[in-house]
Amino acid sequence: MMAWRTCLLLFVMLALCWNKFGVSADGYRAAEERCRKQEEEKGRVHCSRSRSRTVQEILSKYLLPFVETQKYNLSSNSCRLHPNNDIFHEQEEKIEQLRPMQWQCGYCHKVFRTQTYLDSHFDNRHSSMLGTSANRCLADFCGALHCDYVDGLSNSKWKKTTCKPAVVDRNRHLCEVLANNCFPKEQSAAAQWLNDFFKRQFCDAHTCDKQLQPFPHGSGKHENSSLYFAICILTPFILAIIYFVVYLQYRDLSMTRISLRRLSQHTHIKMRKAKLT
């Protein structure tokens, strides 16, 4: 009987030890998994590539052409909208569109059918080429620069009935901060002009007045460059055709006049001969 109780006690002790060991092992695995996720989180970029690309599109179309016209040099240190202050800037420079359905990686020259696949390739294979320093996510300024409007999202967001004054005020404040940091009025006459222009072009539309739309000054570059170049190329040919048609009409008119003159002379000679006879 004593031996049986001793065996039972040893069994219980072993079970308790095993359970404790199992709990410790599970805890160790959980801690290891937690550390692994934390390391992955450190290397992950919390910045929308598509939204940053939309900001770049807005800047290149509605701001930078006017900056170039004023011959103003943006400071990459004070202006967060400087093209170099984009975490994806280096990767974006390596995008090559060979054909409408062919996008090539400038690093390894692999070709993809869509830009989305190329973006995933950048994230998976060339993440080391990201500018991961602080304050380089252009997507942070989507609210100030009207990304939703450009992306063609639901137009109901622009209706007065759905306007949120707190959001409007926040975006307007951020917009004005960008204007003052990028174009300090006291710096120069060009900076003062661009400061006022920026606020009219972007900031004034942050209101619940649905009649006010962003970008009232329009684009600073041609809306369709391919159409523009096509017109430039075709214009000389069109003018040449017009000149040729005018020349033909003038020549026909001259020949008609000559024929009428000869006919008139011939008739006059006949009449003189008739009088003599």
Side-chain angles (χ1 to χ4, degrees), residues 47-55 88 119 139 142 147 151:
C47 183
S48 171
R49 185 188 294 270
S50 61
R51 300 284 274 180
S52 296
R53 190 172 284 155
T54 300
V55 172
F88 305 107
D119 292 343
C142 264
C147 286
D151 286 338

Side-chain angles (χ1 to χ4, degrees), residues 213-226:
Q213 298 294 330
F215 325 128
H217 294 278
S219 172
K221 64 180 182 180
H222 298 287
E223 297 290 336
N224 193 330
S225 58
S226 60

Side-chain angles (χ1 to χ4, degrees), residues 113-140:
R113 290 188 299 174
T114 66
Q115 191 172 15
T116 302
Y117 289 147
L118 178 57
D119 292 343
S120 299
H121 171 75
F122 280 147
D123 293 336
N124 297 328
R125 300 294 183 183
H126 305 293
S127 58
S128 61
M129 299 302 176
L130 291 174
T132 55
S133 60
N135 301 327
R136 296 194 66 183
C137 182
L138 290 183
D140 294 342

